[in-house]
Amino acid sequence: MKPFPTHPLQGALPVTAALLLAAVAPAQASAPRTHLPGDGLRLTVTTGDSRSSDTRGTLLLCDPPQGHSRAAEACADLTAADGDIGAVVHRDAVCSLLYAPVTAHASGRWNGRPVEYTKTFSNTCVMLAETGAVFALDDEQLPELPELTLAELPGV
């Protein structure tokens, strides 16, 4: 009976495994962390459909509020909704029925909990009315509708 492995590779496997584990452990320990301090969300707004779209984005940090043109207001909206974008208090707005789709996406952390949110709205006005300042990138405001007389309305 031989005290050594019969195939040369059988003896090399444990040594190779030990070397690989020793090389991987320090690399994992020194890997950069992507965790952001405090509450933070990566926000994007994509206008248009998949054939022709324009995407804008920013990073919203809330401790202290920064990275967003209306960071303090967006953080206040999120705080009131406990980080749930779907629970942000809807604002009263008169929005047109024009279909100009916008997709809002958020990902990040709020109070240590992961946040993932994606919703497509019929237009920017509806998105801003439903999500408050959270997706109001580039100082977007609720659009004001022009004054129309009854004679200018179609079918009247």
Side-chain angles (χ1 to χ4, degrees):
M1 193 186 307
K2 291 184 178 180
F4 297 104
T6 57
H7 194 276
L9 288 179
Q10 287 178 339
L13 286 177
V15 173
T16 304
L19 288 174
L20 284 174
L21 287 175
V24 170
Q28 288 175 345
S30 65
R33 299 198 183 264
T34 58
H35 174 70
L36 299 171
D39 299 327
L41 298 175
R42 182 167 310 283
L43 306 170
T44 60
V45 175
T46 303
T47 56
D49 57 21
S50 61
R51 294 181 302 272
S52 62
S53 61
D54 174 40
T55 300
R56 290 172 290 126
T58 191
L59 180 63
L60 172 65
L61 299 175
C62 289
D63 189 21
Q66 60 185 324
H68 185 296
S69 60
R70 294 170 61 189
E73 190 179 347
C75 291
D77 286 344
L78 286 167
T79 299
D82 195 28
D84 181 2
I85 297 170
V88 168
V89 175
H90 293 195
R91 295 185 170 46
D92 290 332
V94 177
C95 297
S96 72
L97 296 178
L98 174 68
Y99 183 71
V102 292
T103 301
H105 177 76
S107 63
R109 299 192 75 69
W110 188 267
N111 288 335
R113 294 185 320 260
V115 173
E116 275 298 322
Y117 175 89
T118 302
K119 184 171 180 182
T120 300
F121 299 90
S122 58
N123 59 48
T124 302
C125 178
V126 174
M127 177 189 70
L128 295 173
E130 290 188 23
T131 63
V134 176
F135 291 103
L137 307 181
D138 300 331
D139 261 347
E140 288 177 345
Q141 301 293 326
L142 291 176
E144 294 190 21
L145 298 176
E147 296 283 332
L148 296 176
T149 64
L150 286 177
E152 295 174 318
L153 294 174
V156 177

Short mmCIF file of all heavy atoms in Angstrom, two decimals, residues 52-120:
data_model
loop_
_atom_site.label_atom_id
_atom_site.label_comp_id
_atom_site.label_asym_id
_atom_site.label_seq_id
_atom_site.Cartn_x
_atom_site.Cartn_y
_atom_site.Cartn_z
N SER A 52 -36.38 56.25 -28.39
CA SER A 52 -35.74 57.56 -28.30
C SER A 52 -35.94 58.07 -26.88
O SER A 52 -37.03 58.47 -26.51
CB SER A 52 -36.34 58.53 -29.31
OG SER A 52 -37.70 58.73 -29.04
N SER A 53 -34.89 58.04 -26.10
CA SER A 53 -35.04 58.46 -24.71
C SER A 53 -33.86 59.32 -24.29
O SER A 53 -32.79 59.31 -24.89
CB SER A 53 -35.16 57.24 -23.81
OG SER A 53 -34.00 56.45 -23.90
N ASP A 54 -34.10 60.07 -23.24
CA ASP A 54 -33.10 60.94 -22.64
C ASP A 54 -33.12 60.66 -21.14
O ASP A 54 -34.18 60.75 -20.52
CB ASP A 54 -33.45 62.40 -22.93
CG ASP A 54 -32.54 63.37 -22.20
OD1 ASP A 54 -31.33 63.09 -22.13
OD2 ASP A 54 -33.04 64.40 -21.70
N THR A 55 -31.98 60.32 -20.57
CA THR A 55 -31.92 60.00 -19.14
C THR A 55 -31.09 61.03 -18.41
O THR A 55 -29.99 61.37 -18.84
CB THR A 55 -31.32 58.59 -18.93
OG1 THR A 55 -32.15 57.64 -19.59
CG2 THR A 55 -31.25 58.25 -17.45
N ARG A 56 -31.64 61.51 -17.30
CA ARG A 56 -30.92 62.40 -16.40
C ARG A 56 -30.88 61.73 -15.04
O ARG A 56 -31.78 60.98 -14.70
CB ARG A 56 -31.65 63.74 -16.26
CG ARG A 56 -31.59 64.57 -17.52
CD ARG A 56 -32.47 65.81 -17.44
NE ARG A 56 -33.87 65.37 -17.48
CZ ARG A 56 -34.78 65.70 -16.58
NH1 ARG A 56 -34.49 66.47 -15.59
NH2 ARG A 56 -36.02 65.24 -16.68
N GLY A 57 -29.85 62.01 -14.28
CA GLY A 57 -29.76 61.38 -12.98
C GLY A 57 -28.94 62.18 -12.00
O GLY A 57 -28.22 63.10 -12.38
N THR A 58 -29.07 61.80 -10.74
CA THR A 58 -28.29 62.44 -9.68
C THR A 58 -28.25 61.50 -8.48
O THR A 58 -28.97 60.51 -8.42
CB THR A 58 -28.91 63.80 -9.28
OG1 THR A 58 -27.99 64.51 -8.44
CG2 THR A 58 -30.23 63.63 -8.56
N LEU A 59 -27.41 61.84 -7.54
CA LEU A 59 -27.33 61.11 -6.29
C LEU A 59 -27.90 62.01 -5.21
O LEU A 59 -27.45 63.14 -5.03
CB LEU A 59 -25.87 60.76 -5.98
CG LEU A 59 -25.61 59.99 -4.70
CD1 LEU A 59 -26.28 58.62 -4.76
CD2 LEU A 59 -24.13 59.84 -4.47
N LEU A 60 -28.91 61.55 -4.51
CA LEU A 60 -29.53 62.30 -3.42
C LEU A 60 -29.04 61.76 -2.09
O LEU A 60 -29.24 60.59 -1.78
CB LEU A 60 -31.06 62.18 -3.50
CG LEU A 60 -31.83 62.77 -2.30
CD1 LEU A 60 -31.64 64.28 -2.23
CD2 LEU A 60 -33.30 62.41 -2.41
N LEU A 61 -28.36 62.60 -1.34
CA LEU A 61 -27.92 62.26 0.01
C LEU A 61 -28.71 63.13 0.97
O LEU A 61 -28.96 64.30 0.70
CB LEU A 61 -26.42 62.52 0.18
CG LEU A 61 -25.51 61.71 -0.73
CD1 LEU A 61 -24.07 62.14 -0.56
CD2 LEU A 61 -25.66 60.23 -0.46
N CYS A 62 -29.10 62.57 2.11
CA CYS A 62 -29.97 63.31 3.03
C CYS A 62 -29.35 63.60 4.39
O CYS A 62 -30.05 64.07 5.28
CB CYS A 62 -31.29 62.56 3.20
SG CYS A 62 -32.30 62.62 1.71
N ASP A 63 -28.09 63.34 4.60
CA ASP A 63 -27.49 63.62 5.90
C ASP A 63 -26.10 64.19 5.73
O ASP A 63 -25.12 63.46 5.84
CB ASP A 63 -27.45 62.34 6.75
CG ASP A 63 -27.05 62.61 8.18
OD1 ASP A 63 -27.20 63.77 8.63
OD2 ASP A 63 -26.59 61.67 8.86
N PRO A 64 -25.96 65.45 5.40
CA PRO A 64 -26.94 66.51 5.15
C PRO A 64 -27.47 66.43 3.71
O PRO A 64 -26.85 65.77 2.87
CB PRO A 64 -26.13 67.79 5.35
CG PRO A 64 -24.74 67.41 4.92
CD PRO A 64 -24.58 65.96 5.33
N PRO A 65 -28.59 67.12 3.43
CA PRO A 65 -29.17 67.10 2.08
C PRO A 65 -28.20 67.69 1.05
O PRO A 65 -27.71 68.80 1.22
CB PRO A 65 -30.42 67.98 2.20
CG PRO A 65 -30.76 67.96 3.66
CD PRO A 65 -29.44 67.85 4.38
N GLN A 66 -27.93 66.91 0.01
CA GLN A 66 -27.02 67.37 -1.05
C GLN A 66 -27.13 66.50 -2.29
O GLN A 66 -27.72 65.43 -2.24
CB GLN A 66 -25.58 67.37 -0.54
CG GLN A 66 -25.09 66.01 -0.09
CD GLN A 66 -23.70 66.08 0.51
OE1 GLN A 66 -22.87 66.86 0.08
NE2 GLN A 66 -23.45 65.26 1.51
N GLY A 67 -26.58 66.99 -3.40
CA GLY A 67 -26.49 66.23 -4.63
C GLY A 67 -27.70 66.36 -5.53
O GLY A 67 -27.74 65.76 -6.59
N HIS A 68 -28.67 67.13 -5.17
CA HIS A 68 -29.95 67.23 -5.89
C HIS A 68 -30.32 68.70 -5.84
O HIS A 68 -30.12 69.36 -4.81
CB HIS A 68 -30.96 66.36 -5.13
CG HIS A 68 -32.32 66.21 -5.73
ND1 HIS A 68 -33.18 67.26 -5.91
CD2 HIS A 68 -32.98 65.11 -6.17
CE1 HIS A 68 -34.32 66.80 -6.42
NE2 HIS A 68 -34.21 65.50 -6.59
N SER A 69 -30.86 69.25 -6.90
CA SER A 69 -31.17 70.68 -6.93
C SER A 69 -32.20 71.08 -5.87
O SER A 69 -32.23 72.22 -5.44
CB SER A 69 -31.63 71.10 -8.32
OG SER A 69 -32.79 70.39 -8.68
N ARG A 70 -33.03 70.15 -5.44
CA ARG A 70 -34.02 70.41 -4.38
C ARG A 70 -33.87 69.36 -3.28
O ARG A 70 -34.84 68.77 -2.83
CB ARG A 70 -35.42 70.39 -4.98
CG ARG A 70 -35.64 71.55 -5.98
CD ARG A 70 -36.90 71.45 -6.77
NE ARG A 70 -38.09 71.45 -5.95
CZ ARG A 70 -39.30 71.19 -6.42
NH1 ARG A 70 -39.48 70.92 -7.69
NH2 ARG A 70 -40.34 71.20 -5.62
N ALA A 71 -32.63 69.15 -2.86
CA ALA A 71 -32.30 68.06 -1.91
C ALA A 71 -33.06 68.17 -0.60
O ALA A 71 -33.60 67.18 -0.11
CB ALA A 71 -30.80 68.02 -1.66
N ALA A 72 -33.12 69.35 0.00
CA ALA A 72 -33.79 69.49 1.30
C ALA A 72 -35.27 69.13 1.19
O ALA A 72 -35.81 68.41 2.04
CB ALA A 72 -33.62 70.92 1.83
N GLU A 73 -35.92 69.59 0.13
CA GLU A 73 -37.34 69.29 -0.07
C GLU A 73 -37.55 67.80 -0.37
O GLU A 73 -38.47 67.18 0.16
CB GLU A 73 -37.89 70.15 -1.21
CG GLU A 73 -39.38 70.10 -1.35
CD GLU A 73 -39.89 70.99 -2.48
OE1 GLU A 73 -39.14 71.83 -3.00
OE2 GLU A 73 -41.07 70.81 -2.85
N ALA A 74 -36.68 67.23 -1.21
CA ALA A 74 -36.80 65.80 -1.54
C ALA A 74 -36.57 64.94 -0.29
O ALA A 74 -37.30 63.97 -0.06
CB ALA A 74 -35.80 65.43 -2.63
N CYS A 75 -35.60 65.30 0.53
CA CYS A 75 -35.35 64.55 1.76
C CYS A 75 -36.52 64.68 2.73
O CYS A 75 -36.88 63.70 3.40
CB CYS A 75 -34.05 65.02 2.41
SG CYS A 75 -32.57 64.58 1.46
N ALA A 76 -37.12 65.86 2.79
CA ALA A 76 -38.29 66.05 3.66
C ALA A 76 -39.46 65.17 3.19
O ALA A 76 -40.15 64.55 4.00
CB ALA A 76 -38.70 67.51 3.69
N ASP A 77 -39.67 65.11 1.86
CA ASP A 77 -40.73 64.25 1.31
C ASP A 77 -40.47 62.78 1.66
O ASP A 77 -41.39 62.06 2.05
CB ASP A 77 -40.83 64.39 -0.21
CG ASP A 77 -41.47 65.70 -0.66
OD1 ASP A 77 -42.11 66.38 0.17
OD2 ASP A 77 -41.33 66.05 -1.85
N LEU A 78 -39.23 62.36 1.53
CA LEU A 78 -38.89 60.96 1.83
C LEU A 78 -38.98 60.67 3.32
O LEU A 78 -39.42 59.58 3.72
CB LEU A 78 -37.50 60.64 1.30
CG LEU A 78 -37.40 60.47 -0.20
CD1 LEU A 78 -35.95 60.46 -0.65
CD2 LEU A 78 -38.10 59.19 -0.64
N THR A 79 -38.58 61.61 4.14
CA THR A 79 -38.67 61.42 5.59
C THR A 79 -40.12 61.25 6.01
O THR A 79 -40.45 60.36 6.80
CB THR A 79 -38.02 62.59 6.33
OG1 THR A 79 -36.64 62.65 5.96
CG2 THR A 79 -38.13 62.43 7.83
N ALA A 80 -41.00 62.08 5.46
CA ALA A 80 -42.43 62.00 5.80
C ALA A 80 -43.03 60.66 5.35
O ALA A 80 -43.96 60.16 5.96
CB ALA A 80 -43.19 63.15 5.16
N ALA A 81 -42.47 60.08 4.27
CA ALA A 81 -42.98 58.81 3.75
C ALA A 81 -42.15 57.62 4.24
O ALA A 81 -42.33 56.50 3.75
CB ALA A 81 -42.97 58.84 2.23
N ASP A 82 -41.26 57.82 5.19
CA ASP A 82 -40.37 56.79 5.72
C ASP A 82 -39.59 56.07 4.62
O ASP A 82 -39.42 54.86 4.64
CB ASP A 82 -41.15 55.79 6.58
CG ASP A 82 -40.23 54.92 7.43
OD1 ASP A 82 -39.12 55.38 7.78
OD2 ASP A 82 -40.60 53.77 7.72
N GLY A 83 -39.17 56.85 3.62
CA GLY A 83 -38.34 56.30 2.54
C GLY A 83 -39.10 55.58 1.45
O GLY A 83 -38.50 55.11 0.50
N ASP A 84 -40.42 55.49 1.57
CA ASP A 84 -41.24 54.79 0.56
C ASP A 84 -41.73 55.81 -0.47
O ASP A 84 -42.66 56.58 -0.20
CB ASP A 84 -42.43 54.12 1.25
CG ASP A 84 -43.31 53.35 0.29
OD1 ASP A 84 -43.00 53.30 -0.93
OD2 ASP A 84 -44.33 52.80 0.75
N ILE A 85 -41.12 55.82 -1.64
CA ILE A 85 -41.46 56.80 -2.66
C ILE A 85 -42.92 56.69 -3.07
O ILE A 85 -43.58 57.70 -3.32
CB ILE A 85 -40.52 56.67 -3.88
CG1 ILE A 85 -39.09 56.96 -3.44
CG2 ILE A 85 -40.94 57.62 -5.00
CD1 ILE A 85 -38.03 56.64 -4.46
N GLY A 86 -43.46 55.50 -3.09
CA GLY A 86 -44.86 55.30 -3.43
C GLY A 86 -45.81 55.91 -2.41
O GLY A 86 -46.98 56.13 -2.69
N ALA A 87 -45.31 56.21 -1.21
CA ALA A 87 -46.14 56.78 -0.15
C ALA A 87 -45.95 58.29 0.00
O ALA A 87 -46.52 58.89 0.90
CB ALA A 87 -45.85 56.10 1.17
N VAL A 88 -45.16 58.91 -0.89
CA VAL A 88 -44.99 60.37 -0.84
C VAL A 88 -46.36 61.01 -1.07
O VAL A 88 -47.13 60.58 -1.94
CB VAL A 88 -43.97 60.84 -1.90
CG1 VAL A 88 -43.99 62.35 -2.06
CG2 VAL A 88 -42.57 60.36 -1.54
N VAL A 89 -46.65 62.02 -0.27
CA VAL A 89 -47.94 62.70 -0.36
C VAL A 89 -48.10 63.32 -1.74
O VAL A 89 -47.23 64.07 -2.19
CB VAL A 89 -48.07 63.78 0.73
CG1 VAL A 89 -49.36 64.57 0.57
CG2 VAL A 89 -47.99 63.15 2.11
N HIS A 90 -49.20 62.98 -2.41
CA HIS A 90 -49.46 63.50 -3.75
C HIS A 90 -49.86 64.97 -3.64
O HIS A 90 -50.58 65.37 -2.74
CB HIS A 90 -50.57 62.72 -4.43
CG HIS A 90 -50.18 61.30 -4.74
ND1 HIS A 90 -50.88 60.51 -5.60
CD2 HIS A 90 -49.15 60.53 -4.31
CE1 HIS A 90 -50.31 59.33 -5.68
NE2 HIS A 90 -49.26 59.31 -4.90
N ARG A 91 -49.37 65.74 -4.59
CA ARG A 91 -49.69 67.16 -4.64
C ARG A 91 -50.84 67.38 -5.60
O ARG A 91 -50.97 66.67 -6.60
CB ARG A 91 -48.48 67.95 -5.07
CG ARG A 91 -47.36 67.83 -4.03
CD ARG A 91 -46.20 68.69 -4.36
NE ARG A 91 -45.16 68.86 -3.40
CZ ARG A 91 -44.53 67.97 -2.66
NH1 ARG A 91 -44.89 66.73 -2.71
NH2 ARG A 91 -43.56 68.27 -1.86
N ASP A 92 -51.65 68.37 -5.29
CA ASP A 92 -52.73 68.73 -6.21
C ASP A 92 -52.11 69.39 -7.43
O ASP A 92 -51.29 70.31 -7.30
CB ASP A 92 -53.72 69.69 -5.54
CG ASP A 92 -54.54 69.00 -4.46
OD1 ASP A 92 -54.75 67.78 -4.58
OD2 ASP A 92 -54.96 69.68 -3.52
N ALA A 93 -52.46 68.91 -8.59
CA ALA A 93 -51.95 69.49 -9.83
C ALA A 93 -52.96 69.24 -10.94
O ALA A 93 -53.69 68.24 -10.91
CB ALA A 93 -50.62 68.86 -10.21
N VAL A 94 -53.00 70.15 -11.86
CA VAL A 94 -53.83 69.97 -13.04
C VAL A 94 -52.86 69.65 -14.18
O VAL A 94 -52.09 70.50 -14.61
CB VAL A 94 -54.64 71.24 -13.36
CG1 VAL A 94 -55.44 71.05 -14.63
CG2 VAL A 94 -55.54 71.60 -12.20
N CYS A 95 -52.86 68.40 -14.59
CA CYS A 95 -51.92 67.94 -15.61
C CYS A 95 -52.67 67.67 -16.91
O CYS A 95 -53.82 67.22 -16.89
CB CYS A 95 -51.21 66.67 -15.16
SG CYS A 95 -50.20 66.89 -13.68
N SER A 96 -52.00 67.93 -18.01
CA SER A 96 -52.61 67.68 -19.32
C SER A 96 -52.72 66.17 -19.56
O SER A 96 -52.08 65.37 -18.88
CB SER A 96 -51.79 68.32 -20.43
OG SER A 96 -50.58 67.60 -20.61
N LEU A 97 -53.51 65.80 -20.53
CA LEU A 97 -53.65 64.40 -20.89
C LEU A 97 -52.64 63.99 -21.96
O LEU A 97 -52.71 62.88 -22.48
CB LEU A 97 -55.08 64.13 -21.38
CG LEU A 97 -56.16 64.33 -20.32
CD1 LEU A 97 -57.54 64.10 -20.93
CD2 LEU A 97 -55.95 63.43 -19.13
N LEU A 98 -51.73 64.88 -22.29
CA LEU A 98 -50.70 64.60 -23.28
C LEU A 98 -49.85 63.41 -22.82
O LEU A 98 -49.36 63.38 -21.68
CB LEU A 98 -49.79 65.82 -23.46
CG LEU A 98 -48.59 65.63 -24.36
CD1 LEU A 98 -49.04 65.46 -25.81
CD2 LEU A 98 -47.66 66.81 -24.23
N TYR A 99 -49.70 62.42 -23.69
CA TYR A 99 -48.88 61.25 -23.35
C TYR A 99 -47.45 61.51 -23.78
O TYR A 99 -47.13 61.55 -24.97
CB TYR A 99 -49.43 59.99 -24.00
CG TYR A 99 -48.65 58.75 -23.59
CD1 TYR A 99 -48.77 58.24 -22.30
CD2 TYR A 99 -47.81 58.12 -24.48
CE1 TYR A 99 -48.06 57.13 -21.91
CE2 TYR A 99 -47.10 56.99 -24.10
CZ TYR A 99 -47.22 56.50 -22.82
OH TYR A 99 -46.51 55.40 -22.42
N ALA A 100 -46.59 61.76 -22.81
CA ALA A 100 -45.16 61.95 -23.03
C ALA A 100 -44.47 61.21 -21.89
O ALA A 100 -44.12 61.78 -20.87
CB ALA A 100 -44.81 63.43 -23.00
N PRO A 101 -44.32 59.88 -22.03
CA PRO A 101 -43.91 59.04 -20.90
C PRO A 101 -42.57 59.41 -20.29
O PRO A 101 -41.63 59.78 -20.99
CB PRO A 101 -43.87 57.64 -21.50
CG PRO A 101 -43.66 57.86 -22.95
CD PRO A 101 -44.35 59.15 -23.28
N VAL A 102 -42.52 59.30 -18.97
CA VAL A 102 -41.28 59.46 -18.20
C VAL A 102 -41.21 58.30 -17.21
O VAL A 102 -42.21 57.92 -16.62
CB VAL A 102 -41.20 60.81 -17.46
CG1 VAL A 102 -41.06 61.96 -18.40
CG2 VAL A 102 -42.36 61.02 -16.54
N THR A 103 -40.02 57.75 -17.08
CA THR A 103 -39.81 56.65 -16.14
C THR A 103 -38.88 57.12 -15.04
O THR A 103 -37.79 57.61 -15.31
CB THR A 103 -39.21 55.42 -16.85
OG1 THR A 103 -40.11 55.01 -17.88
CG2 THR A 103 -39.00 54.27 -15.88
N ALA A 104 -39.35 56.99 -13.81
CA ALA A 104 -38.57 57.37 -12.64
C ALA A 104 -38.01 56.10 -12.01
O ALA A 104 -38.71 55.11 -11.86
CB ALA A 104 -39.46 58.11 -11.65
N HIS A 105 -36.73 56.16 -11.65
CA HIS A 105 -36.08 55.00 -11.02
C HIS A 105 -35.24 55.50 -9.84
O HIS A 105 -34.52 56.50 -9.96
CB HIS A 105 -35.19 54.26 -12.01
CG HIS A 105 -34.47 53.10 -11.39
ND1 HIS A 105 -35.09 51.91 -11.09
CD2 HIS A 105 -33.20 52.98 -10.96
CE1 HIS A 105 -34.22 51.10 -10.52
NE2 HIS A 105 -33.06 51.73 -10.43
N ALA A 106 -35.33 54.79 -8.73
CA ALA A 106 -34.51 55.09 -7.56
C ALA A 106 -33.96 53.79 -7.00
O ALA A 106 -34.65 52.77 -6.97
CB ALA A 106 -35.34 55.79 -6.49
N SER A 107 -32.72 53.83 -6.57
CA SER A 107 -32.13 52.69 -5.88
C SER A 107 -31.14 53.22 -4.86
O SER A 107 -30.50 54.25 -5.08
CB SER A 107 -31.44 51.73 -6.86
OG SER A 107 -30.37 52.38 -7.50
N GLY A 108 -31.08 52.54 -3.74
CA GLY A 108 -30.17 52.96 -2.67
C GLY A 108 -30.61 52.43 -1.34
O GLY A 108 -31.20 51.35 -1.26
N ARG A 109 -30.38 53.22 -0.28
CA ARG A 109 -30.73 52.80 1.07
C ARG A 109 -31.42 53.94 1.79
O ARG A 109 -31.09 55.09 1.60
CB ARG A 109 -29.48 52.39 1.83
CG ARG A 109 -28.77 51.21 1.16
CD ARG A 109 -27.70 50.59 2.01
NE ARG A 109 -28.15 49.76 3.09
CZ ARG A 109 -28.74 48.57 2.96
NH1 ARG A 109 -28.99 48.11 1.77
NH2 ARG A 109 -29.06 47.85 4.01
N TRP A 110 -32.37 53.57 2.64
CA TRP A 110 -33.05 54.53 3.50
C TRP A 110 -33.17 53.90 4.88
O TRP A 110 -33.77 52.84 5.02
CB TRP A 110 -34.43 54.87 2.94
CG TRP A 110 -35.05 56.00 3.71
CD1 TRP A 110 -35.88 55.90 4.78
CD2 TRP A 110 -34.83 57.38 3.49
NE1 TRP A 110 -36.20 57.14 5.24
CE2 TRP A 110 -35.57 58.09 4.46
CE3 TRP A 110 -34.08 58.11 2.57
CZ2 TRP A 110 -35.58 59.46 4.53
CZ3 TRP A 110 -34.10 59.48 2.65
CH2 TRP A 110 -34.84 60.15 3.61
N ASN A 111 -32.60 54.53 5.89
CA ASN A 111 -32.56 54.00 7.26
C ASN A 111 -32.06 52.55 7.29
O ASN A 111 -32.62 51.71 7.99
CB ASN A 111 -33.94 54.09 7.91
CG ASN A 111 -34.31 55.51 8.27
OD1 ASN A 111 -33.43 56.34 8.46
ND2 ASN A 111 -35.58 55.79 8.34
N GLY A 112 -31.06 52.28 6.48
CA GLY A 112 -30.47 50.94 6.46
C GLY A 112 -31.23 49.92 5.62
O GLY A 112 -30.77 48.80 5.46
N ARG A 113 -32.38 50.30 5.09
CA ARG A 113 -33.18 49.38 4.27
C ARG A 113 -32.92 49.66 2.79
O ARG A 113 -32.83 50.82 2.38
CB ARG A 113 -34.67 49.57 4.56
CG ARG A 113 -35.09 49.19 5.96
CD ARG A 113 -36.60 49.29 6.14
NE ARG A 113 -37.20 50.44 5.49
CZ ARG A 113 -37.54 51.57 6.12
NH1 ARG A 113 -37.30 51.72 7.40
NH2 ARG A 113 -38.11 52.55 5.46
N PRO A 114 -32.85 48.60 1.97
CA PRO A 114 -32.68 48.83 0.54
C PRO A 114 -33.95 49.43 -0.07
O PRO A 114 -35.06 49.11 0.34
CB PRO A 114 -32.41 47.43 -0.03
CG PRO A 114 -32.91 46.49 1.00
CD PRO A 114 -32.88 47.19 2.33
N VAL A 115 -33.76 50.31 -1.05
CA VAL A 115 -34.86 50.95 -1.76
C VAL A 115 -34.70 50.68 -3.25
O VAL A 115 -33.63 50.89 -3.80
CB VAL A 115 -34.88 52.48 -1.53
CG1 VAL A 115 -35.92 53.15 -2.41
CG2 VAL A 115 -35.12 52.79 -0.07
N GLU A 116 -35.74 50.18 -3.87
CA GLU A 116 -35.81 50.00 -5.33
C GLU A 116 -37.18 50.51 -5.77
O GLU A 116 -38.20 50.06 -5.23
CB GLU A 116 -35.66 48.54 -5.73
CG GLU A 116 -34.24 48.05 -5.87
CD GLU A 116 -33.43 48.75 -6.94
OE1 GLU A 116 -33.98 49.08 -8.02
OE2 GLU A 116 -32.24 48.98 -6.70
N TYR A 117 -37.20 51.43 -6.70
CA TYR A 117 -38.47 52.00 -7.16
C TYR A 117 -38.34 52.28 -8.64
O TYR A 117 -37.37 52.90 -9.09
CB TYR A 117 -38.76 53.30 -6.40
CG TYR A 117 -39.99 54.04 -6.88
CD1 TYR A 117 -41.24 53.78 -6.34
CD2 TYR A 117 -39.89 55.02 -7.85
CE1 TYR A 117 -42.37 54.46 -6.77
CE2 TYR A 117 -41.00 55.71 -8.29
CZ TYR A 117 -42.24 55.44 -7.73
OH TYR A 117 -43.35 56.13 -8.17
N THR A 118 -39.31 51.84 -9.43
CA THR A 118 -39.39 52.17 -10.85
C THR A 118 -40.85 52.31 -11.22
O THR A 118 -41.65 51.43 -10.90
CB THR A 118 -38.74 51.08 -11.73
OG1 THR A 118 -37.37 50.91 -11.35
CG2 THR A 118 -38.81 51.44 -13.20
N LYS A 119 -41.18 53.41 -11.85
CA LYS A 119 -42.55 53.62 -12.31
C LYS A 119 -42.53 54.52 -13.53
O LYS A 119 -41.78 55.49 -13.59
CB LYS A 119 -43.41 54.24 -11.21
CG LYS A 119 -44.87 54.37 -11.61
CD LYS A 119 -45.73 54.79 -10.44
CE LYS A 119 -47.19 54.91 -10.91
NZ LYS A 119 -48.07 55.35 -9.81
N THR A 120 -43.37 54.19 -14.51
CA THR A 120 -43.52 55.03 -15.69
C THR A 120 -44.81 55.82 -15.55
O THR A 120 -45.86 55.26 -15.28
CB THR A 120 -43.54 54.18 -16.98
OG1 THR A 120 -42.30 53.47 -17.07
CG2 THR A 120 -43.71 55.04 -18.22
#
